[in-house]
Amino acid sequence: MSNPEMLTVAEALAIVLDTVMVVEPERVPLLDCLGRVLAESVVARDSLPPFANSSMDGYAVRAADVAEAGPGEPAILRVVADIAAGRPSDVILTSGAAARIMTGAPLPAGADAVVPVEDTDEPWRDAARPLPERIAIRRAVAAGDYVRYPGEDIRAGETVLEAGHILRPQEIGVLASLGMADVSVVRRPRVGILATGDELVDVTVPLTPGKIRNSNGYAQAAQVRALGGEAIPLGVARDTEADVRAHLDAAVAAGVDLLVSSAGVSVGAYDVVKAVLDAAGSVAFWRVRMRPGKPLAFGRYQGIPYLGLPGNPVSAMVSFERFARPAILRMGGHRDLERPTVPATLLEAMRSDGRESYVRAVVTRRGDGEYVAITTGSQGSHIMTSLVKANALLIVPEGVVEVPAGTPLTALMIDWPTGVF
Ligand code: AMP
Ligand code: MG
């Protein structure tokens, strides 16, 4: 059964990943960086916090002045200033003095701690109330209490984020706090998506006898977008070498980093993709020991990496998932190229054909913590709804033909969040 001429999935994937390269960086406005990959490490220009400030509404004090204070024996201090957030005071706190201070306001010189307002006799809830002349402090604080010192979070000069980091909302917040209005991120890989086949019409066109709609063009473009790539739709090429070439040449002229086509790669009379690659590029492989998706061409067209997916919609999506996905992630600067996996126990008996198989399945976590899997029904490579129902692809390893109920398998979780937007 196993054909040494035909590559395993792992061998084929290694060739694909060796061929593609990370694309160049671009500067992008901060908010548009969500989900993007940092191209350069970020070194902090400022410390965070930038200055010592209060973490509470209360009174800035010298801790030594209130060291003996307690509920029964309050320390009485003179109130010499009122410091609001954003309005630094040039007061210098001397012994016996306090300054009313708001959360985030700069700690005045001479102060080394803050007493929360709840621990004083002046819980000012009324903005109109004048600043008290004196304040009774009902608890002791130690130097540093309720003070946030400069650099506690980030020190100026420190590397805060390494190149390759994926920017989530929390990273956007950190970059904003460091004053970065735009950020150097890896450009979105541009992926040309071509459908081939004389039977294909676009989504807007009424069906006529023998025609079907080009679903792959849309599904693969969506797969590219889901990975943070830029999908360049190349339309439909007829089943002739000349028309496939014409569509590919237009894409090359427009500038793409990767070409992905569907159909025309098997051994039918009109399967022209391999011939086109042979003539104007190179073919690294054109079959893989995988199910679904044995016909799968990979090579270069005019120097550009080219992945020729099979035509059947499920085969196209699963092959994309297995090969184009890690390739596009790598081009986009990602380091984590694989979906999360869980060990899952198959609850039904199944047969495979000895190729490494990707079975559409629903994986759930039982009360006892074990993951269990059932298939989504017919595994025909034209049954698109089998993917719609699935949240996982169960991997049946190469060489396995009988898969009894209770078999432990690895499940690729295709809809778990992975940090890719
Ligand atoms: P092929 O690889 O050209 O033999 O195509 C295999 C099957 O996939 C055929 O049934 C095609 O009609 C179908 N197919 C090919 N391309 C598409 C497409 N873009 N959208 C939907 N089905 C397709
Ligand atoms: Mg065809």
Side-chain angles (χ1 to χ4, degrees):
M1 160 118 348
S2 89
N3 174 354
E5 305 265 291
M6 222 191 284
L7 300 178
T8 64
V9 171
E11 288 164 345
L13 181 58
I15 291 174
V16 172
L17 291 180
D18 263 359
T19 306
V20 298
M21 289 184 313
V22 182
V23 301
E24 75 282 352
E26 63 179 353
R27 287 204 87 80
V28 170
L30 182 55
L31 197 46
D32 295 334
C33 290
L34 184 63
R36 305 292 295 269
V37 179
L38 260 188
E40 295 161 11
S41 298
V42 171
V43 175
R45 325 174 175 158
D46 309 308
S47 286
L48 197 66
F51 52 88
N53 67 93
S54 177
S55 69
M56 297 290 271
D57 295 326
Y59 286 83
V61 299
R62 298 165 72 98
D65 285 352
V66 300
E68 308 292 315
E73 264 180 286
I76 309 295
L77 302 176
R78 277 176 298 116
V79 179
V80 297
D82 190 19
I83 310 172
R87 295 202 220 113
S89 159
D90 50 14
V91 74
I92 299 174
L93 223 62
T94 53
S95 185
R100 189 165 75 166
I101 191 165
M102 307 297 150
T103 304
L107 196 72
D112 59 5
V114 171
V115 177
V117 64
E118 292 83 353
D119 296 315
T120 73
D121 67 341
E122 183 65 24
W124 75 92
R125 301 291 180 218
D126 179 359
R129 207 174 153 120
L131 192 66
E133 278 179 25
R134 289 179 197 290
I135 187 75
I137 306 288
R138 297 208 206 93
R139 67 173 272 202
V141 288
D145 282 359
Y146 304 107
V147 178
R148 304 187 288 207
Y149 288 100
E152 260 180 15
D153 189 359
I154 295 167
R155 284 178 193 288
E158 173 188 340
T159 298
V160 189
L161 298 169
E162 304 279 353
H165 199 106
I166 300 169
L167 302 179
R168 301 167 297 169
Q170 51 268 55
E171 281 80 13
I172 301 293
V174 165
L175 292 167
S177 74
L178 297 174
M180 303 191 58
D182 49 47
V183 181
S184 175
V185 294
V186 180
R187 176 169 65 69
R188 296 184 184 280
R190 291 164 58 85
V191 183
I193 303 292
L194 178 65
T196 72
D198 287 344
E199 72 277 37
L200 301 177
V201 297
D202 191 39
V203 64
T204 55
V205 175
L207 291 180
T208 51
K211 303 290 184 182
I212 58 168
R213 297 199 177 92
N214 167 20
S215 64
N216 288 347
Y218 287 86
Q220 269 77 80
Q223 285 181 303
V224 168
R225 282 200 188 174
L227 297 170
E230 185 185 343
I232 315 280
L234 305 177
V236 176
R238 300 294 136 210
D239 282 322
T240 66
E241 288 181 41
D243 202 37
V244 170
R245 228 181 283 120
H247 280 77
L248 294 177
D249 288 343
V252 172
V256 290
D257 305 302
L258 174 68
L259 287 161
V260 173
S261 69
S262 59
V265 281
S266 46
V267 290
Y270 301 97
D271 290 332
V272 298
V273 165
K274 182 167 173 286
V276 167
L277 274 192
D278 270 330
S282 57
V283 182
F285 60 81
W286 62 286
R287 287 184 302 172
V288 176
R289 290 209 297 274
M290 170 178 176
R291 191 179 71 131
K294 176 169 77 176
L296 182 87
F298 182 71
R300 286 181 188 274
Y301 182 81
Q302 311 284 14
I304 295 173
Y306 183 109
L307 188 63
L309 305 173
N312 276 304
V314 173
S315 313
M317 289 204 83
V318 173
S319 311
F320 183 106
E321 171 69 31
R322 207 63 204 92
F323 295 98
R325 182 180 187 276
I328 292 166
L329 287 177
R330 168 156 291 176
M331 296 166 88
H334 288 269
R335 289 168 186 168
D336 191 1
L337 307 182
E338 291 298 334
R339 295 276 193 191
T341 60
V342 296
T345 305
L346 185 64
L347 294 182
E348 63 193 273
M350 212 172 64
R351 286 184 64 80
S352 189
D353 74 349
R355 284 178 285 167
E356 183 168 313
S357 298
Y358 291 80
V359 178
R360 284 82 83 192
V362 178
V363 169
T364 50
R365 191 159 181 259
R366 278 199 317 217
D368 61 3
E370 192 182 338
Y371 287 96
V372 293
I374 51 165
T375 69
T376 58
S378 168
Q379 297 289 306
S381 54
H382 60 299
I383 307 290
M384 275 194 263
T385 51
S386 66
L387 266 177
V388 170
K389 292 172 190 154
N391 69 349
L393 293 172
L394 285 178
I395 303 174
V396 179
E398 185 167 66
V400 174
V401 177
E402 290 294 337
V403 193
T407 303
L409 294 169
T410 297
L412 276 184
M413 303 309 295
I414 56 174
D415 63 1
W416 275 8
T418 53
V420 176
F421 285 66

